[in-house]
Amino acid sequence: MHLSLAEAETLVVEALLRNRVSPENARAVAIAIVAAEAAGQSGHGLRRVPAYASQAKAGKTDGFAKPQLTRPYPAVLRIDAGNGYAYPALDLAVAELSIIAREQGIALAAISRSHHAGVMGLTVERFADQGLVALMVANAPASMAPWGGKTPVFGTNPIAFAAPLPDADPIVIDLALSRVARGKVMAARQKGAPIPDDWAFDRDGKPTTDAEEALIGTMIPAGEAKGAALALMVEILSAGLTGANYAFEASSLFDDQGPPPALGQTIIAINPAAMSAADTAKRLALLASEITSDPNVRLPGRRGQTARREALASGISVEDDVIAMIEGL
């Protein structure tokens, strides 16, 4: 089925409203999920709606939560997401951190008792659109073992970064520290499709093409031992320092069983004007120009930005089974 972005957002909002979610939270979730779908990130898109809805209906996620903000230091925000969805907390962080980063030169938000952070590139890009540089990390329920192990301790623990460019779309880097995002494995399971054998290990630590076995087993770290070490770093920044659950303490984002995931996210926003007396915009433009002087190279983020523009103009195609799942909630 072909839907405009507005139609897709309405579909999501209506499904969530039927499952104990407030109108404000339903709208925040719908905007983020549809933007992910439009950017070609279906693993974080509409296929997540059944899990989001069932968790709110069961009370695993508080669909009526309102994020609470405190400012213990001039450049630091603490945001308690209240065991609700992450997106209202992220919206609050974007609004408030941008102001503080301009005042202080740098600002940090520590978000706790949160949920699935979605496509984090979309969050950091919102800072870059305001002329700021942003770095974001998040933990996720345990799905990846320390290198050499078989027991999941870390999540896929994504890192996202964005920097503005003059008269151009910003540079946006968004990567999971597993070889692929776990949402891609979840999407393959929903479709009954196999996965490449270098995405995950089964419960015995052997490569698998079975998505169900992959979700029971462990994801393969990007860069092997290096990726696992970076996942540890993200675990500390997003959970160890925020008071959120560690990955191995968090319940699944894919079902309605157990207590709230209570995950964490940390965002750092930087005002480039505070870093150097040089013209930062020109310096970044020079770097971007050098990178793209090779005709075979494109800047990170361009694929998703192009896809979103096309989706805004002409809508998105959504598999019929996904529409049926959402309408049936």
Side-chain angles (χ1 to χ4, degrees):
M1 185 179 293
H2 200 76
L3 301 175
S4 70
L5 298 190
E7 289 170 335
E9 288 173 7
T10 298
L11 177 72
V12 175
V13 167
E14 290 178 349
L16 293 175
L17 290 178
R18 295 193 299 269
N19 286 272
R20 301 178 60 191
V21 179
S22 71
E24 298 81 6
N25 288 347
R27 177 61 59 185
V29 170
I31 290 170
I33 280 182
V34 172
E37 195 77 35
Q41 298 289 337
S42 60
H44 296 294
L46 294 173
R47 286 187 176 274
R48 292 272 181 167
V49 177
Y52 274 47
S54 68
Q55 288 169 24
K57 187 175 182 179
K60 178 175 178 175
T61 299
D62 184 352
F64 292 88
K66 294 183 178 180
Q68 300 299 311
L69 180 149
T70 57
R71 188 175 175 181
Y73 296 93
V76 176
L77 297 179
R78 291 179 186 158
I79 300 176
D80 180 354
N83 287 325
Y85 298 117
Y87 303 116
L90 296 177
D91 290 344
L92 181 59
V94 171
E96 297 297 326
L97 274 191
S98 300
I99 297 169
I100 296 172
R102 289 192 177 87
E103 291 175 352
Q104 303 291 332
I106 188 169
L108 181 148
I111 303 173
S112 61
R113 295 207 301 163
S114 192
H115 196 261
H116 175 232
V119 179
M120 298 190 335
L122 295 173
T123 299
V124 293
E125 186 171 353
R126 293 163 69 185
F127 290 99
D129 287 340
Q130 301 178 65
L132 302 173
V133 174
L135 174 69
M136 178 177 176
V137 295
N139 75 333
S143 61
M144 192 163 67
W147 188 244
K150 294 181 182 179
T151 302
V153 175
F154 312 130
T156 54
N157 289 13
I159 298 173
F161 173 85
L165 291 175
D167 304 317
D169 289 329
I171 295 170
V172 180
I173 299 168
D174 186 351
L175 52 91
L177 292 176
S178 53
R179 189 158 289 175
V180 298
R182 200 165 187 238
K184 290 187 176 182
V185 179
M186 183 269 289
R189 182 185 66 176
Q190 287 184 345
K191 295 176 183 178
I195 61 172
D197 65 2
D198 62 351
W199 282 13
F201 297 125
D202 64 17
R203 69 191 82 192
D204 298 318
K206 298 177 181 178
T208 181
T209 59
D210 186 317
E212 190 72 41
E213 284 295 316
L215 290 173
I216 296 170
T218 68
M219 302 296 292
I220 298 177
E224 301 179 341
K226 294 178 182 178
L230 286 172
L232 170 59
M233 179 191 75
V234 170
E235 198 71 41
I236 293 169
L237 287 171
S238 59
L241 299 184
T242 67
N245 274 350
Y246 285 122
F248 62 85
E249 298 175 306
S251 60
S252 174
L253 293 171
F254 294 149
D255 61 42
D256 59 4
Q257 305 301 305
L263 297 164
Q265 294 102 31
T266 294
I267 306 173
I268 300 170
I270 301 168
N271 182 354
M275 299 289 291
S276 170
D279 187 327
T280 305
K282 286 185 178 179
R283 294 288 296 160
L284 294 178
L286 173 63
L287 176 60
S289 176
E290 184 67 19
I291 291 169
T292 56
S293 63
D294 186 324
N296 297 313
V297 176
R298 67 163 176 258
L299 292 172
R302 291 296 183 262
R303 178 183 296 171
Q305 290 157 346
T306 300
R308 279 157 44 213
R309 272 192 289 271
E310 292 174 352
L312 185 61
S314 57
I316 54 176
S317 294
V318 184
E319 294 100 325
D320 290 342
D321 70 305
V322 176
I323 299 290
M325 278 194 299
I326 295 173
E327 289 181 338
L329 293 171

